Amino acid sequence: MGTPRVVGPIGATAVVAGSMLGVGILLTPPVVAASVPSLLGFLLLWLAGAVVAACGGMVYAELGAMLPEAGGDVVFLERAFGRGVAVVVGTVVFVGAFAGSIAAMSVALATYQTQTLLDAAGGGVDLSAAVGGVQGDQLLGAAVILALTALNALGARVSTGVQTALTVVPLVGLAALGVWGLATGQGDVTPPPGEVHNLGQAWLGVYFAYAGWPAIVYIAGEVRDPGRTLPVAVLGGTALVAALYGLLCLAFVAVLGFEGLASAGEAGTALARALLGEQAAVGVAALVALALLASVNATVLGGARVAWAMAKQLGWSRLTVLDGHGTPARLLVVQGALAVGFALSGTFAVLMAWTTVAMLVAGALVVLAHGWLRWTEPELERPFRAWAHPLPAVVYVGASVIGLGLVVWG
């Protein structure tokens, strides 16, 4: 049974945008403002992040439209460099970037957003308390993983439908907050005198705030008309999130002032509190909770397809069986079990630290694979071609090398 192509442009764009939304845009702007005491430099750093994401997106969109199969990186690397490279990189990406990220985001959702909402409701529940030797936030995170794994077992059509709802609400809510702040803010936009410092930390924060733009490529085998839908989803979703990030950054500065933003800690709550009072922090927590759910859901959706592509290459036929929805249900279970194990053990933090390097290397390898395939297989049909080749690849690989250097030696 083949995978049905049930994901249209709206659902595909929601997968991309929802994967990128999260706490990054709320936690990173204060770090950037404190590190780069220049309004122009602050905005240019966020613009640079958008440009790098768009460059990587163009390359991935071309590869996905050319090879519209489930698995993303695994499919592209196998075609360019062989099965060995594809399986090694795919294994690290699946275990760390997918299962590890699912665990990390699910526990973060319980630790911060859910705890804030419970405190506002006056329930008196402390999620940091241990239950049977495991913290409550870890148990709740595991429950989120199981629930979203079950949702994804219903098929890509259902999962992307839920994804659209989970993405639209925080997008609209955060955009409304940003517009209001920009229209009414009277903060001092002049940064205090100072020198640039911790630029590497600021750049990494921006770089990873945009992470998630290739999410739809991992389920390319279930996308309708991939030659058109994938470029629209990847580039459209990236542009949508970049516009939101730019709006919010301007609103943060307009309302909090440059110096106030630098000391805000978490900019979204600070912005809401300044505009609407203390209770508004609850609303921001709810919006971020939905955004995190969208990110986790998209990661669950894509990760099982990466594992499926590897199992297919290795000839593990029992794992490549698709259920009645065209879903690799067995690999969803494997991924869910790994993520739950990481969530309950607390090892996801260590895992994410070292897989950050692997993610940077994997992305750079895929972009290099794009150039290699352009040279070795120019006859392949390419419904979409990355603009200004090879400039996007050079920009993305350069940014990845800088990010890798900052992670290893920063």
Side-chain angles (χ1 to χ4, degrees), residues 200-384:
Q201 182 183 3
W203 170 240
L204 280 178
V206 171
Y207 189 89
F208 289 111
Y210 281 102
W213 45 264
I216 190 61
V217 175
Y218 297 110
I219 62 166
E222 292 157 272
V223 172
R224 292 198 303 267
D225 192 8
R228 293 187 178 185
T229 301
L230 289 175
V232 167
V234 174
L235 299 178
T238 300
L240 190 64
V241 171
L244 175 65
Y245 283 6
L247 172 64
L248 286 172
C249 284
L250 289 171
F252 294 151
V253 175
V255 173
L256 304 174
F258 202 90
E259 194 169 2
L261 173 60
S263 60
E266 196 270 90
T269 300
L271 174 63
R273 186 180 292 119
L275 290 174
L276 301 167
E278 193 64 37
Q279 291 302 314
V282 178
V284 172
L287 290 175
V288 175
L290 292 176
L292 280 172
L293 280 172
S295 294
V296 177
N297 185 61
T299 308
V300 172
L301 180 67
R305 274 71 180 177
V306 170
W308 182 83
M310 289 192 297
K312 186 178 178 182
Q313 289 182 15
L314 292 170
W316 295 348
S317 57
R318 290 187 178 182
L319 290 177
T320 59
V321 174
L322 302 176
D323 65 12
H325 303 289
T327 299
R330 295 178 181 179
L331 288 166
L332 273 172
V333 172
V334 171
Q335 176 180 255
L338 277 173
V340 167
F342 294 145
L344 295 180
S345 66
T347 56
F348 58 83
V350 176
L351 184 74
M352 289 293 289
W354 69 264
T355 53
T356 295
V357 175
M359 290 167 62
L360 287 167
V361 171
L365 280 174
V366 169
V367 173
L368 292 174
H370 163 261
W372 180 256
L373 291 173
R374 277 269 188 121
W375 183 41
T376 59
E377 298 191 62
E379 75 285 355
L380 283 176
E381 183 180 357
R382 291 171 168 83
F384 172 80

